[in-house]
Amino acid sequence: MPEASRVIPYGVLFLFFLLSTFICTNHACKEADHNSLLSSFDISSSCLNWSSSDCCHWEGIACDADGRVTHVSLPSKWLQGSVSSSLGSLTHLLHLNLSHNLLSGPLEAGLFLSSSHLEILDLSYNHLSGDLPLFLSSSYIQIVDLSNNQFDATIPSSFLQHAWNLSSLNVSKNHFTGQIPSFICLRSSSIRVLDFSNNNFNGSIPLGLGNCSKLEIFRAGFNTLSGTLPSDLYKAQALHEISLPSNQLFGHISDNIVNLTRLTILEIYFNHLSGALPLHIGKLSKLKLMLLHLNNLEGPLPPSLMNCSNLVELNLGFNRLDGNISELSFSKLDQLIKLDLVSNHFSGAIPKSLYSCKYLKAVRLSGNDLEGQIQPEIVSLKYLSFLSLGRNRLTNVTGAIHILMRLESLSTYPSSRLVGTDSPMSPALYIY
Ligand SMILES: *[C@@H]1O[C@H](CO)[C@@H](O)[C@H](O)[C@H]1NC(C)=O
Ligand SMILES: *[C@@H]1O[C@H](CO)[C@@H](O)[C@H](O)[C@H]1NC(C)=O
Ligand SMILES: *[C@@H]1O[C@H](CO)[C@@H](O)[C@H](O)[C@H]1NC(C)=O
Ligand SMILES: *[C@@H]1O[C@H](CO)[C@@H](O)[C@H](O)[C@H]1NC(C)=O
Ligand SMILES: *[C@@H]1O[C@H](CO)[C@@H](O)[C@H](O)[C@H]1NC(C)=O
Ligand SMILES: *[C@@H]1O[C@H](CO)[C@@H](O)[C@H](O)[C@H]1NC(C)=O
Ligand SMILES: *[C@@H]1O[C@H](CO)[C@@H](O)[C@H](O)[C@H]1NC(C)=O
Ligand SMILES: *[C@@H]1O[C@H](CO)[C@@H](O)[C@H](O)[C@H]1NC(C)=O
Ligand SMILES: *[C@@H]1O[C@H](CO)[C@@H](O)[C@H](O)[C@H]1NC(C)=O
Ligand SMILES: *[C@@H]1O[C@H](CO)[C@@H](O)[C@H](O)[C@H]1NC(C)=O
């Protein structure tokens, strides 16, 4: 029968396929790796079920065709104790993910000396402390995530010496000290992500970022970095995000920043930046977040800023900016949700064009030198839930209240709430 004779060969093939996948994946774990795993983890205190004899079948473990352990993936397993140096004997290890556990203590000096194939190292969300090993010996390493631990030493300049293929380094939320490692991109030109934020790094931002031709995200906020923004930062053309808030950076933002045309996030608030905003900043047409508040910026807003039509949040509060804002047209900023210009020296009337930014939820213009009246057109801001205009020279408060009562999303408060310190973003109205 033609039907059956077709079925049988397929069946045989299928059986053969099953058998061969079984053979290929069922290599018994090499004894050395078995023993390394067992001495690396305190199984009794974790929730690991490692009872079968073949370690290649244990939860979180994967092996290659020779029965050598290549993956140890044990996130969120209540693992305790130190990261055992026995892990370093897993010479074929590619991925090590021990994130979200209770591991503590320092990493031993020779820990990764034999892990020469390691590609991914994720030890984030543990309680690790102390020094880092001098070297990560693997030249294949791509991702290093040590974030959310208690490391409190410097990062040895040799640590990533062989990391030619590093694409992401995240050491955020630790207590690292000393300098941010310099020339990181001379060794690893494939770096896309650098996150040094929330540590105790000091000194200046090192030169060398200009060689980070693939760098997309650079974060080093909440440290005590000082000095100016390095000139070659503006050469890292792939940058999407520059995030350096809460440091002691000074100097101005160079006009060369307009070369970073992919920039969507620029946050350098709470520093000592001075000088004017770059004249042609409008060339950064992808900017969504521009947070430069709490600096010493001065001068008028460059008209080109009003060409950043993708801006969602613009915060320039607590600077020394000035100029007549009635001459600016906000009409292209139609994605804007938050506008904060508090405590500057802006003058003139609130431009009617601002009322065309129809998604605006929060506007804070208090503490300037604004004059004139609130126009009835403001009622088109139907999502507006925070408006603060106090400490200006606006007139016709009665008229303003009549207009603003028509804005439903703007909760009205007893008059005592109309004065005083306005803390942004909770629904409120402050016009005095
Ligand atoms: C542990 O895993 C084995 C199979 O690998 C299974 O037979 C056994 O029931 C499991 N034990 C527990 C407590 O889950
Ligand atoms: C490690 O595991 C966690 C939890 O599954 C996961 O979210 C994380 O992306 C993994 N890390 C890496 C670098 O793949
Ligand atoms: C780096 O990665 C590329 C492509 O992923 C690979 O061909 C190359 O061998 C790697 N080099 C090293 C030193 O790991
Ligand atoms: C770095 O890790 C932290 C968590 O530990 C995370 O919040 C942050 O997004 C990571 N950085 C990047 C750039 O992915
Ligand atoms: C950075 O901090 C270390 C101590 O944590 C100190 O020895 C060093 O002088 C500081 N460097 C700078 C440039 O402030
Ligand atoms: C990149 O590094 C090379 C080698 O040190 C150097 O000559 C070059 O100027 C650097 N390029 C940038 C943009 O920093
Ligand atoms: C910015 O780009 C222009 C044109 O590509 C180039 O001439 C200029 O040198 C660049 N500036 C910086 C700082 O890279
Ligand atoms: C804003 O963009 C328009 C259109 O691209 C351009 O003609 C105009 O010169 C820009 N304005 C400023 C001030 O850069
Ligand atoms: C601001 O500009 C407008 C329009 O050019 C003008 O009428 C007004 O007097 C100016 N206000 C101040 C304080 O310069
Ligand atoms: C005050 O504002 C209201 C509402 O916009 C307006 O009708 C009235 O003419 C204004 N009064 C003065 C003196 O400008």
Side-chain angles (χ1 to χ4, degrees):
M1 286 200 181
E3 288 299 313
S5 66
R6 238 179 252 159
V7 170
I8 290 164
Y10 277 122
V12 170
L13 262 180
F14 184 59
L15 246 180
F16 188 72
F17 170 75
L18 264 186
L19 211 66
S20 63
T21 45
F22 186 68
I23 289 167
C24 289
T25 56
N26 194 33
H27 289 283
C29 167
K30 284 278 184 294
E31 196 183 348
D33 288 4
H34 179 274
N35 294 340
S36 299
L37 284 174
L38 277 186
S39 50
S40 296
F41 300 103
D42 179 6
I43 298 169
S44 56
S45 69
S46 68
C47 49
L48 292 176
N49 176 5
W50 280 5
S51 50
S52 68
S53 60
D54 182 358
C55 78
C56 294
H57 286 164
W58 288 349
E59 182 183 4
I61 306 299
C63 297
D64 63 12
D66 300 323
R68 304 307 307 259
V69 171
T70 55
H71 291 63
V72 174
S73 183
L74 299 169
S76 309
K77 297 289 179 208
W78 300 95
L79 300 173
Q80 299 183 22
S82 61
V83 176
S84 163
S85 55
S86 313
L87 275 176
S89 328
L90 298 170
T91 51
H92 288 61
L93 194 60
L94 304 175
H95 292 204
L96 178 60
N97 189 341
L98 303 177
S99 65
H100 296 270
N101 281 296
L102 305 165
L103 297 165
S104 56
L107 297 177
E108 282 174 43
L111 180 59
F112 298 112
L113 265 186
S114 311
S115 320
S116 55
H117 299 283
L118 200 61
E119 292 171 357
I120 294 178
L121 174 63
D122 188 347
L123 300 176
S124 61
Y125 293 92
N126 279 288
H127 306 301
L128 300 167
S129 57
D131 292 328
L132 291 186
L134 273 181
F135 297 105
L136 262 184
S137 60
S138 170
S139 57
Y140 297 96
I141 195 84
Q142 290 165 16
I143 298 178
V144 176
D145 191 345
L146 305 176
S147 64
N148 261 288
N149 278 288
Q150 287 146 29
F151 289 111
D152 53 6
T154 58
I155 297 184
S157 60
S158 53
F159 182 60
L160 296 165
Q161 197 164 354
H162 307 295
W164 309 112
N165 267 357
L166 190 65
S167 91
S168 172
L169 172 67
N170 192 342
V171 299
S172 69
K173 298 188 182 156
N174 278 285
H175 312 295
F176 281 112
T177 60
Q179 296 243 334
I180 284 180
S182 59
F183 302 113
I184 206 161
C185 293
L186 278 185
R187 298 177 191 133
S188 328
S189 57
S190 45
I191 286 195
R192 291 171 199 280
V193 173
L194 286 175
D195 194 339
F196 298 104
S197 51
N198 289 282
N199 279 288
N200 301 327
F201 286 113
N202 66 3
S204 51
I205 299 172
L207 276 172
L209 290 166
N211 268 317
C212 298
S213 60
K214 294 184 179 157
L215 185 63
E216 292 171 4
I217 298 180
F218 177 53
R219 292 186 193 161
F222 304 95
N223 282 289
T224 45
L225 299 172
S226 53
T228 59
L229 298 170
S231 58
D232 70 343
L233 174 67
Y234 306 112
K235 292 183 182 153
Q237 301 248 358
L239 274 171
H240 290 197
E241 174 178 340
I242 297 176
S243 176
L244 301 167
S246 197
N247 279 295
Q248 289 157 20
L249 300 167
F250 52 81
H252 65 289
I253 302 175
S254 162
D255 276 329
N256 288 329
I257 201 169
V258 304
N259 275 18
L260 303 181
T261 52
R262 296 182 197 168
L263 213 55
T264 57
I265 298 177
L266 177 63
E267 47 177 11
I268 320 185
Y269 58 88
F270 203 10
N271 276 284
H272 308 301
L273 296 180
S274 58
L277 288 171
L279 192 58
H280 300 295
I281 194 140
K283 290 191 178 155
L284 300 180
S285 60
K286 293 195 170 151
L287 265 188
K288 287 188 170 161
L289 244 53
M290 181 164 163
L291 310 181
L292 298 176
H293 46 293
L294 291 157
N295 278 293
N296 298 321
L297 298 170
E298 56 195 16
L301 297 184
S304 81
L305 178 63
M306 300 297 141
N307 265 353
C308 296
S309 56
N310 284 302
L311 273 177
V312 171
E313 184 173 351
L314 176 61
N315 193 339
L316 299 170
F318 302 103
N319 277 290
R320 299 179 193 164
L321 297 161
D322 58 25
N324 187 339
I325 64 166
S326 73
E327 288 159 358
L328 295 173
S329 168
F330 285 81
S331 57
K332 284 189 191 161
L333 306 189
D334 57 359
Q335 307 296 310
L336 202 59
I337 289 178
K338 283 188 195 174
L339 173 67
D340 195 346
L341 303 179
V342 65
S343 291
N344 279 285
H345 307 300
F346 292 114
S347 59
I350 300 173
K352 276 193 187 171
S353 58
L354 185 61
Y355 306 142
S356 66
C357 305
K358 56 180 181 296
Y359 298 118
L360 271 175
K361 281 187 181 162
V363 174
R364 185 161 69 161
L365 304 175
S366 47
N368 280 287
D369 216 3
L370 302 178
E371 58 193 12
Q373 306 188 9
I374 289 173
Q375 301 297 316
E377 287 84 349
I378 198 172
V379 298
S380 54
L381 300 180
K382 59 174 189 275
Y383 302 110
L384 195 66
S385 64
F386 180 94
L387 177 66
S388 170
L389 302 172
R391 292 178 289 124
N392 278 297
R393 293 192 286 125
L394 299 173
T395 52
N396 195 356
V397 176
T398 333
I401 288 175
H402 273 106
I403 296 170
L404 294 171
M405 270 164 48
R406 289 158 58 198
L407 268 168
E408 279 173 22
S409 53
L410 201 62
S411 328
T412 36
Y413 282 82
S415 56
S416 63
R417 292 291 304 270
L418 295 179
V419 260
T421 22
D422 45 352
S423 88
M425 305 320 138
S426 47
L429 164 65
Y430 305 92
I431 54 176
Y432 250 121

